[in-house]
Amino acid sequence: MEVGAPDYLAGERQTAEFDVESMKVTWAGSRHALEVSDRMARLVASDPVFRKDNRVMLSRKELFKNTLRKAAHAWKRIVELRLTEEEASRVRFFVDEPAFTDLHWGMFVPAIKGQGTEEQQQKWLPLAYKMQIIGCYAQTELGHGSNVQGLETTATFDPKTDEFIIHSPTLTSSKWWPGGLGKVSTHAVAYARLIVDGQEHGVHGFIVQLRSLDDHMPLPGITVGDIGMKFGSGAYNSMDNGVLRFDNVRIPRDQMLMRVLQVTREGKVIQSDVPRQLIYGTMVFVRQTIVADASCALSRAVCIATRYSAVRRQFGSQNGGPETQVIDYKTQQSRLFPLLASAYAFRFVSEWLKSLYTDVTEKLQRGEFSTLPEAHACTAGLKSITTSATADAIEECRKLCGGHGYLANSGLPELFAVYVPACTYEGDNTVLLLQVARFLVKTVSQLGSGKVPVGTTAYMGRARHLIQCKSNVQSAEDWLNPQVVVEAFEARSLRMSVACAENLAKFPNPEEGFAQLAADLVEAAAAHCQLIVVTKFFEKLQQDIPGKGVKKQLQILSSVYALYILHKHLGDFLSTGSITPKQGALANDQLRSLYSKIRPNAVALVDAFNYTDHYLSSVLGRYDGNVYPTLYEEAWKDPLNDSVVPDGYQEYIRPLLKQQIRNARL
Amino acid sequence: MEVGAPDYLAGERQTAEFDVESMKVTWAGSRHALEVSDRMARLVASDPVFRKDNRVMLSRKELFKNTLRKAAHAWKRIVELRLTEEEASRVRFFVDEPAFTDLHWGMFVPAIKGQGTEEQQQKWLPLAYKMQIIGCYAQTELGHGSNVQGLETTATFDPKTDEFIIHSPTLTSSKWWPGGLGKVSTHAVAYARLIVDGQEHGVHGFIVQLRSLDDHMPLPGITVGDIGMKFGSGAYNSMDNGVLRFDNVRIPRDQMLMRVLQVTREGKVIQSDVPRQLIYGTMVFVRQTIVADASCALSRAVCIATRYSAVRRQFGSQNGGPETQVIDYKTQQSRLFPLLASAYAFRFVSEWLKSLYTDVTEKLQRGEFSTLPEAHACTAGLKSITTSATADAIEECRKLCGGHGYLANSGLPELFAVYVPACTYEGDNTVLLLQVARFLVKTVSQLGSGKVPVGTTAYMGRARHLIQCKSNVQSAEDWLNPQVVVEAFEARSLRMSVACAENLAKFPNPEEGFAQLAADLVEAAAAHCQLIVVTKFFEKLQQDIPGKGVKKQLQILSSVYALYILHKHLGDFLSTGSITPKQGALANDQLRSLYSKIRPNAVALVDAFNYTDHYLSSVLGRYDGNVYPTLYEEAWKDPLNDSVVPDGYQEYIRPLLKQQIRNARL
Ligand SMILES: Cc1cc2nc3c(=O)[nH]c(=O)nc-3n(C[C@H](O)[C@H](O)[C@H](O)COP(=O)(O)OP(=O)(O)OC[C@H]3O[C@@H](n4cnc5c(N)ncnc54)[C@H](O)[C@@H]3O)c2cc1C
Ligand SMILES: Cc1cc2nc3c(=O)[nH]c(=O)nc-3n(C[C@H](O)[C@H](O)[C@H](O)COP(=O)(O)OP(=O)(O)OC[C@H]3O[C@@H](n4cnc5c(N)ncnc54)[C@H](O)[C@@H]3O)c2cc1C
């Protein structure tokens, strides 16, 4: 905010009952993380090259070129300022524009790290780190996304030349979607069916050079391009998601990523002693970042809607006084505050996932694999429920802003358009929940066998208790007790999983049963994942959380999150008998009074995200709340306002008005 | 479809168990309506001017100019072909592009019809009908949308000159949002606070000329422009939603719309004998069209997702055979088929609303006003729940298409972006449900007083039974009985309203109570509206519905709609004790088996909407199912593919690769 500028939300900020600076630290994860974030956010915001407000006006070509410019400029700043890896990644985050660099750093490099041998890593990683090559992750094809084993691209070993021949045998085998592929990447990790001596050996990754490093022209046998416009304006259209076809492209044998499976000079296929479970590590990592991104996107939308709801007044003027701030309406609160709570909930669960990743990595190194399926199921499920909830929440925030939310410069339409594919990529959310369900049903079926469920399924070990326990909530206050809440969530989740398992048992063929009951299974999986989020939020509160009033606010938010989910899925809780209708009503009463407690803190709670106006890029979400003059000024910048009389008047409007339409040549 | 072109969905069409042509008639409403629709759809589809597939590529200016062109061309065709009013309106529908004409025909003309005196109508309507003037509806301001009584624009009577002075006293009084205002309209019906002799007389409509009919320049005192880009690319950006400021603009006294309130030459303000309830008639009309539009938008999305789900195959290949069509997955069915059922449900409820409108109009003419509040509440509520459900459903359909749904040419992103404001305009959906709730609570409170509830609230007259009745469902089959279903819905809705009324009574101040319980009230209102949709669907089935198997399919769809809502809101049904958990589980079983019954008919059920490929404008929703080659071909048309090496390579990519970034001038 400029020095001396008026703060229309100052009154809101004064009512806060906690120390916002301390909350910022808690949100960021540490004082250090906050400091880095803050510094990088300002660095980006103050640099005119990183301007974002014109994105939606640009044509596809202009937008894309501008993205290239930003990516190069960001890299330049990173080099010039000798930024650390952490700082560099924050810079990319605040540049806030999907770009080939996301895939280069987020998928290409990790794929080589995870699936390449020591030798391969030594050869390729330095090139990638310095961006002497730019890579993408080319897995999905026109015909196959979710079903990776169904990919059709082939990699056939030619023992004569010691090469693989990469080929796209059908139209549907065309690579389709990889980000950064269309126009930028010089290399790809491409996935293909390995064929050696006429034998198939499953799908593996191959480093393939796509373009000449001299003039960027596609190499012989390579057809590559962009797949076209995607959802929205601006949004993900800055990314060159690409199409790629191989016409018998030859690559040296050592460009197959061979950490797990090797093909020797002689054409022998050898399983290495590196365990296949390794991939779980990478998956946990990637999905942790997606959950963290969910909390960012959600908090951003909530920040905009909360500030604007405090600025916007409608109805309720008494004796000519000001109207009611729409944030004071209970309907507005009951739609908005659970999303605020969800933003915090997702933040903390992503923090916990980070520690899970460390844990998994350590275990992998120690050769301990038994807990991996649980970690894998848990991250898959959390990816699914947090991204689905976030996508819905962004649109709800937009609706909470009434008509003005529909303007591009509210920031919410583009945020939605750019966010929604998170429900699809890195695993379609429904497909992921089915995986979780499979794991849960298995866990339930093994309960009798003495196998002790671990990690986030540990509660299933108390099945005997949870299957018949009764909640002893007797007053609305009782719902503030985390133990009470967690038990209700555990009972609901366990009973849903058990019910599924019992129903499955009625089918002679378990696979057939799984297929028939899929919709119920998905609901059970979601219930399990919601329990995890609730639990991790409560666990966070057992830590020492410094700052006046901070813990208190988080307690309120944790209860809001839990009781909101309970209210939303009341059918589950009642039909499993986990709580009674009376107890459900008490939860609702408690929820209502919690909203009143959030109200005076709402604006401060979104200030704690520490977002710059540049990052928010929303007229409605401005820090200073000065919404109306800005909306008015921005309007005149639209190209349609270049002239008072619009282009097309002579040809198409005037003939109408002058009744000359019959003779008009249109 | 071209003659002789392969039909990849032919197999799906063969499994249909009903006569699709008859279903088309039922969907269209009559054989005549189908014939007109079909003819106009082809007229539009075959005319290259009406091409839509390039919309998302156009810049704002190009898009807008093209829209002007289409509007003029449509009018030309309407005149040349001497189309009837019905035909003309179908043409505008199939042109499928938001344009100033929507507001001219849909709001400007009806406002004059509804609020103008006979004389005013005679003066202005012929001009409007011939489009010698083009008008918009200028109500909303920067500061006020929902709260119409809070509008700040003033219309001060000047008895000296017999004129009104229209003025924008504040920034927030700027008109903001009216469609067609920004660049096209020559006139507006502008709403302003009437001030006569220093006295305020509420908000009224005034016909104000905005632009010269000679050169289209804004008249003195008028500042007018476009408010800028909105959600998405293409989408609603073809509309010039406008900003408008009046600087003491003078209009003749007879340009105030005076049907209800008159200002005489002498400055007397006289209430006419025309009842104020008249506005209800217009509102019922406008909202009926919105509900009809919901069924169109929803059916369009469902048509795309259904066809693509039948084309798309993923997983489940056995012995090298084809993979499973994703439409065969129960999760896909449980997400998609309820939306298909909703499309039909909304269609029939909109048909019923049309008859309600006729009924209301007749009653108005007979001077019967007692049933109007009920009709008004019911249309407000139906507008709210159908538009909210449709907005969510379009996005769900997009997700059901996996990654490819995110491509602009799937048609779904733009459909979503263009549709969502329906949740906000013509009454914010939450504000509308609060109105419904107010009506319900009043109805409940009058139950004891002998006042008999009418129309859609008639069931509340059976409160004594409904408050304590028990559903006697004992098997999944029982849920196929409409009476059983309706009673459960009635019990749920009544009990929720009664619970609200009881809780309200606990507050000393009823308004305070209403404010505190608003979130619960909105849920009760939604429950009531869902009951209406369910009931009207079942009532439709009591009519004679010709065609082999047609009624059977509709019966299945009606049950799916009802049981889906029941499952989704199970918490309501259980907490009110309207059904037991066991009965809820049986409903779910029934739902699952109904999905299997829909499956072989799914593609035929969306064919029955009779949409052309032009109207759908979706590569994924093509009638012939030939998805993959089309996706592949379309990709190459993106401007980014104009050159193999992208613009920006020299400046921004090459320096990266060549490690010349430090010295690069970016
Ligand atoms: C913006 C974006 C960026 C991307 N970036 C990359 C990238 O960089 N590299 C890359 O390789 N890929 C990328 N992808 C592709 C992405 O990974 C896939 O789109 C994703 O995995 C989903 O697969 P699909 O498109 O095949 O969906 P489908 O599997 O075709 O899904 C269609 C429908 O079928 C359902 N379904 C499928 N299988 C089952 C089942 N077994 N049971 C029940 N239901 C099922 C799904 O739930 C969904 O409703 C990207 C996609 C997008 C949208
Ligand atoms: C695409 C589009 C086209 C439009 N076209 C026209 C047009 O042609 N002519 C025209 O005059 N206008 C037009 N409008 C304006 C439209 O009618 C208003 O945006 C709409 O009425 C909503 O009002 P609002 O924007 O003031 O929302 P607000 O009332 O500001 O809503 C903001 C939030 O406050 C909540 N809220 C408001 N009041 C209450 C309450 N009493 N209780 C509880 N919650 C409340 C709402 O639920 C919402 O969540 C258009 C708008 C759009 C988006």
Side-chain angles (χ1 to χ4, degrees), chain B residues 157-325:
Chain B
F157 181 59
D158 181 355
K160 279 188 266 129
T161 59
D162 198 23
E163 289 171 320
F164 288 108
I165 306 165
I166 313 286
H167 189 61
S168 310
T170 58
L171 176 73
T172 47
S173 73
S174 311
K175 292 292 172 192
W176 189 268
W177 273 118
L181 166 64
K183 293 285 145 185
V184 180
S185 291
T186 60
H187 289 67
V189 170
Y191 289 80
R193 316 176 84 80
L194 172 63
I195 302 175
V196 181
D197 202 13
Q199 278 259 310
E200 288 224 4
H201 297 271
V203 169
H204 298 273
F206 299 81
I207 300 180
V208 188
Q209 182 171 351
L210 306 175
R211 294 172 177 269
S212 152
L213 291 172
D214 289 330
D215 59 7
H216 212 60
M217 286 298 286
L219 297 185
I222 301 274
T223 305
V224 64
D226 184 273
I227 59 170
M229 290 279 283
K230 287 147 290 188
F231 202 142
S233 57
Y236 222 94
N237 292 301
S238 54
M239 181 72 90
D240 54 332
N241 295 92
V243 44
L244 168 65
R245 289 186 60 78
F246 300 103
D247 182 5
N248 293 296
V249 171
R250 290 178 167 265
I251 58 167
R253 180 173 52 87
D254 67 4
Q255 285 178 215
M256 169 174 159
L257 294 174
M258 298 217 205
R259 188 155 177 207
V260 171
L261 195 85
Q262 289 165 22
V263 176
T264 66
R265 177 65 192 90
E266 299 74 36
K268 274 211 192 133
V269 180
I270 304 173
Q271 191 81 36
S272 83
D273 51 3
V274 178
R276 288 202 146 252
Q277 285 92 334
L278 258 184
I279 47 159
Y280 285 139
T282 320
M283 275 192 168
V284 172
F285 174 74
V286 172
R287 287 180 183 155
Q288 180 269 316
T289 62
I290 295 188
V291 176
D293 288 348
S295 79
C296 291
L298 177 50
S299 54
R300 186 167 161 179
V302 165
C303 179
I304 296 168
T306 302
R307 287 184 183 158
Y308 180 64
S309 294
V311 169
R312 182 70 170 174
R313 293 172 179 270
Q314 205 76 190
F315 294 105
S317 157
Q318 266 155 9
N319 311 323
E323 291 169 90
T324 307
Q325 292 165 285

Side-chain angles (χ1 to χ4, degrees), chain A residues 309-540:
Chain A
S309 294
V311 169
R312 184 70 171 174
R313 292 172 180 273
Q314 205 75 191
F315 295 105
S317 158
Q318 266 155 9
N319 311 321
E323 291 169 271
T324 308
Q325 293 166 282
V326 298
I327 198 173
D328 282 325
Y329 291 115
K330 286 289 159 191
T331 44
Q332 194 84 354
Q333 295 180 4
S334 72
R335 293 159 68 200
L336 179 59
F337 292 168
L339 308 182
L340 174 61
S342 304
Y344 277 92
F346 296 173
R347 187 71 179 189
F348 297 135
V349 84
S350 86
E351 211 173 62
W352 169 76
L353 272 178
K354 231 188 248 174
S355 65
L356 179 73
Y357 172 63
T358 318
D359 187 55
V360 161
T361 315
E362 273 174 21
K363 285 194 173 139
L364 276 171
Q365 275 158 2
R366 275 185 275 135
E368 270 182 54
F369 306 122
S370 64
T371 63
L372 283 181
E374 184 273 320
H376 178 247
C378 147
T379 41
L382 288 174
K383 183 275 180 185
S384 177
I385 68 158
T386 57
T387 54
S388 289
T390 297
D392 291 350
I394 296 169
E395 173 61 7
E396 183 70 1
C397 285
R398 195 193 62 69
K399 292 203 185 98
L400 284 163
C401 296
H404 302 344
Y406 191 60
L407 282 171
N409 63 26
S410 78
L412 293 164
E414 199 181 357
L415 183 58
F416 183 78
V418 84
Y419 187 75
V420 287
C423 298
T424 306
Y425 57 55
E426 279 302 309
D428 169 273
N429 281 354
T430 301
V431 174
L432 290 180
L433 284 182
L434 285 168
Q435 290 174 13
V436 176
R438 211 170 265 281
F439 178 73
L440 292 178
V441 167
K442 194 169 160 195
T443 305
V444 169
S445 74
Q446 293 175 338
L447 280 180
S449 74
K451 197 166 174 214
V452 182
V454 295
T456 56
T457 50
Y459 71 100
M460 292 191 155
R462 288 179 285 114
R464 209 165 298 169
H465 169 67
L466 290 172
I467 204 85
Q468 47 75 29
C469 66
K470 284 193 163 50
S471 171
N472 49 20
V473 165
Q474 294 186 331
S475 69
E477 277 68 53
D478 290 342
W479 279 119
L480 296 176
N481 181 343
Q483 274 173 311
V484 167
V485 172
V486 168
E487 189 172 85
F489 272 79
E490 287 178 344
R492 165 208 184 207
S493 172
L494 179 95
R495 294 176 196 189
M496 289 174 78
S497 286
V498 168
C500 283
E502 284 171 1
N503 287 334
L504 279 175
K506 294 178 194 155
F507 286 81
N509 174 343
E511 276 312 304
E512 173 61 17
F514 197 86
Q516 287 300 325
L517 300 176
D520 295 350
L521 285 158
V522 160
E523 290 180 8
H528 169 71
C529 298
Q530 287 158 358
L531 164 66
I532 302 176
V533 180
V534 167
T535 312
K536 297 303 159 192
F537 203 153
F538 288 144
E539 282 177 10
K540 169 80 188 175

Side-chain angles (χ1 to χ4, degrees), chain A residues 76 130 142 144-145 147 177 183 214 226 229 314 323 403 406 408 417 523 567 641 643 654 658-659 664, chain B residues 76 130 144-145 147 177 183 213-214 226 229 314 323 403-404 406 408 417 523 567 641 643 654 659 664:
Chain A
K76 188 179 180 198
K130 284 192 259 167
L142 198 45
H144 290 90
N147 180 13
W177 273 119
K183 292 286 143 183
D214 289 329
D226 184 273
M229 289 279 283
Q314 205 75 191
E323 291 169 271
Y406 191 60
E523 290 180 8
H567 183 68
N641 290 326
S643 63
R654 196 176 160 83
K658 297 296 170 196
Q659 307 294 297
Chain B
K76 189 178 179 196
K130 283 192 260 165
H144 289 90
N147 180 13
W177 273 118
K183 293 285 145 185
L213 291 172
D214 289 330
D226 184 273
M229 290 279 283
Q314 205 76 190
E323 291 169 90
H404 301 343
Y406 191 60
E523 289 180 8
H567 182 68
N641 290 327
S643 62
R654 194 177 161 82
Q659 307 293 298

Side-chain angles (χ1 to χ4, degrees), chain B residues 44 97 181 219 236 241 254 291 301 384 412 422 429 431 446 478 497-498 513 581 588 594 607 612:
Chain B
V44 172
E97 191 154 275
L181 166 64
L219 297 185
Y236 222 94
N241 295 92
D254 67 4
V291 176
S384 177
L412 293 164
N429 282 353
V431 174
Q446 293 174 338
D478 290 342
S497 286
V498 168
N588 204 27
L594 287 168
D607 285 349
T612 60

Side-chain angles (χ1 to χ4, degrees), chain B residues 441-475:
Chain B
V441 167
K442 194 170 160 194
T443 305
V444 168
S445 74
Q446 293 174 338
L447 281 180
S449 75
K451 196 164 177 220
V452 181
V454 294
T456 55
T457 51
Y459 72 99
M460 292 191 155
R462 287 180 285 115
R464 208 164 299 169
H465 169 67
L466 290 173
I467 204 83
Q468 47 74 31
C469 66
K470 285 194 163 48
S471 170
N472 50 18
V473 165
Q474 293 185 331
S475 68

